[in-house]
Structures are given as C-alpha cells and as structure tokens.
Amino acid sequence: MLAGHVARALTIAGSDSGGGAGIQADLKTFYSLGVYGMTAVTSVTVQNTHGVVSVLPVPPDVISSQIAAVATDIGIDAAKTGVLWSPGIVMAVAEAVRRFGIPRLVVDPVVAAKGGAALMMPAAVHALRRYLLPVAHVVTPNIPEAEILAEVRIDGLPAVRDAARRIHAMGVPWVVIKGGHLPLTDEAVDTVFDGTDFYELRSERIQSGSGHGTGCTFSAALAASLARGVTVPRAVEIAKIYVRAALRQGLTLGGGCGPVNHWAGLEGCSREL
Ligand code: PXL
C-alpha cells in the first residue's frame, strides 16, 4: 500500500448481526483488499446463519447525515449500496450521491435474503430504477434481481443480454449480471455490458454450504478495486477471484448457512492489484 494515500470506500448498507453479509461483509472485504472502509448504516437486521428475524430501517435523514459526515471530511473514492428498504431511503441515498458527487457507485440491488426474507419494499424498486441507477456507475443484479429490475423472464443467456440492455437504458453505464442462478449452464457465466459490448466471464460452479454474503462480498470487492482506480472489467475479474476463494473456503459456523471466508484469497487478490 502507498504511504500517505489510502483508497477510501463507503458502504451504504444494512447491518447483519451474524457478520457474514451486509456492512460487516463489506468492511471485511475492503480491509482484505487494502482499502479504507466507511459506513452509512441503512437498516439493522436481526439474523444468524438460520436466517433473518427482523429488519429495522434507519430514518432517511440519519442515512444522509452519515454520508455527509464522511464525504465532507474523509472523502470517498468509491461507494456501494446494499439493503435500501424503502422509496424514501433510496431517494435520500440518490440525493446524497448527487450532492456530494460520490464517484464510482456500485449498486447491489438487494431485494431478498437467501432464505427469502424481504430486504426491500416492492415500491422501492421503482425508486431505485428512477433515482439511483442514473447516479450509479455499476449495478450488480443476480438473475432474480435482474428479472425484477428489467421486468423480463430470464431463461438463458439471450434473455440475460436483453435484461442487461433494458437495465443499461435506465441510465447506469455498466451492468454486471451475475449468472450463478442460471440453471441451464454448468458454468457460472457473468455478463458485463457497457452499452456497446458484452463481456462474458465464465467460471466453474462452486457447491458450498457456506455461501452467506456472496453477493455483498462481490459488490464490495468491485467497489474496493474501483476505489483503487482499476477499470470495471478488471475490477469484475478481481472480485470474482476473491469471491471464488471466499466461497471455496467458506466458514463452518452456526447451524445454518455459514458465511463466506473473507480471509480467503488475500494473497491472490493482493497480487492482482
Ligand atoms: O445478501 C444480501 C444481504 C444484504 N444485506 C444484509 C443482509 C443480506 C442477506 O441476508 O442480511 C444486511
């Protein structure tokens, strides 16, 4: 790491008391990838490896104030969003991003937890499309989230491309659709679209009982590389390397779905940067 300057990343996301997803995953990822992490907490979830018990949203003005506090003092090289429960919260975050000129915003459009618990009101999806995507740099839906954002059924790679075009048209320069949920392929194919070209990143599927926090970790790793000045396609490659290692070496903790291992792959990823 360079003495004197450290890349700074902000996560605008929910707290996971179990430590595997949300701001906890984001901070561990930022730390592992050599980036200084800051937080604007958007909700407090009560959960463990068995699932989400409850979600308490933080008032929008408190979220805006957290963003303002760090933006006006420490500075932000890149940011990511996670759980944004309500339309009011989405609009407050979009307004703060605009007001403080927050660069390289990665929007992880979290709709539900792995176990199915809702992490976003249906009405907030509309606000996300309308207000947040136009101020974002990258959006990282998985297949179910891409279906909701683009309002299409996705049953194969041509439909993934169609969804990517529709989401790009909402005003976000880079669309990254994570292919892990596509049942038809024995590889996980991630699709990256910049409005002109499609890039496909293929990797073998990893079966793991410890996959809690995969999506958060991916978007946080992306934001970490962007904070360090890496291009989007290269940042996606690095995030995939980190998440693959974290999944493969997932932690056996708790009685349910264990967390990914944020210590994993440190060596490999640091060498990439
Ligand atoms: O993985 C999505 C996610 C994001 N943020 C928080 C979560 C979860 C899933 O459980 O709890 C706080």
Side-chain angles (χ1 to χ4, degrees), residues 29-241:
T29 302
F30 292 162
Y31 180 88
S32 295
L33 296 177
V35 168
Y36 182 74
M38 299 166 283
T39 59
V41 180
T42 59
S43 59
V44 177
T45 73
V46 175
Q47 64 174 301
N48 55 25
T49 64
H50 293 290
V52 177
V53 179
S54 61
V55 184
L56 175 73
V58 170
D61 61 314
V62 179
I63 298 170
S64 303
S65 301
Q66 293 174 81
I67 299 171
V70 296
T72 56
D73 176 32
I74 299 169
I76 299 165
D77 296 305
K80 65 150 283 185
T81 62
V83 170
L84 302 173
W85 174 258
S86 65
I89 289 177
V90 173
M91 288 162 71
V93 170
E95 169 57 20
V97 169
R98 214 188 42 71
R99 179 165 4 127
F100 298 107
I102 295 177
R104 306 178 198 93
L105 178 71
V106 178
V107 171
D108 185 3
V110 178
V111 174
K114 265 198 177 60
L119 293 173
M120 180 181 240
M121 289 167 64
V125 175
H126 175 70
L128 190 137
R129 279 193 209 104
R130 168 126 193 234
Y131 300 105
L132 196 58
L133 291 188
V135 295
H137 192 52
V138 191
V139 62
T140 61
N142 59 27
I143 298 288
E145 291 160 353
E147 288 187 320
I148 291 169
L149 279 181
E151 298 180 295
V152 292
R153 270 281 296 132
I154 297 178
D155 52 9
L157 288 175
V160 170
R161 290 189 169 204
D162 178 41
R165 282 195 191 90
R166 289 169 189 262
I167 295 168
H168 184 270
M170 295 167 193
V172 55
W174 289 89
V175 181
V176 179
I177 300 185
K178 300 171 290 182
H181 289 75
L182 256 191
L184 303 180
T185 51
D186 49 358
E187 289 177 306
V189 183
D190 295 342
T191 300
V192 180
F193 183 55
D194 63 2
T196 309
D197 296 313
F198 285 96
Y199 309 79
E200 278 180 1
L201 291 100
R202 293 169 181 271
S203 50
E204 80 284 14
R205 275 179 194 283
I206 298 166
Q207 300 301 336
S208 169
S210 299
H212 181 60
T214 308
C216 304
T217 300
F218 178 79
S219 53
L222 204 48
S225 286
L226 296 179
R228 299 178 69 149
V230 174
T231 64
V232 172
R234 187 72 189 124
V236 172
E237 282 174 7
I238 294 168
K240 277 179 75 81
I241 293 169

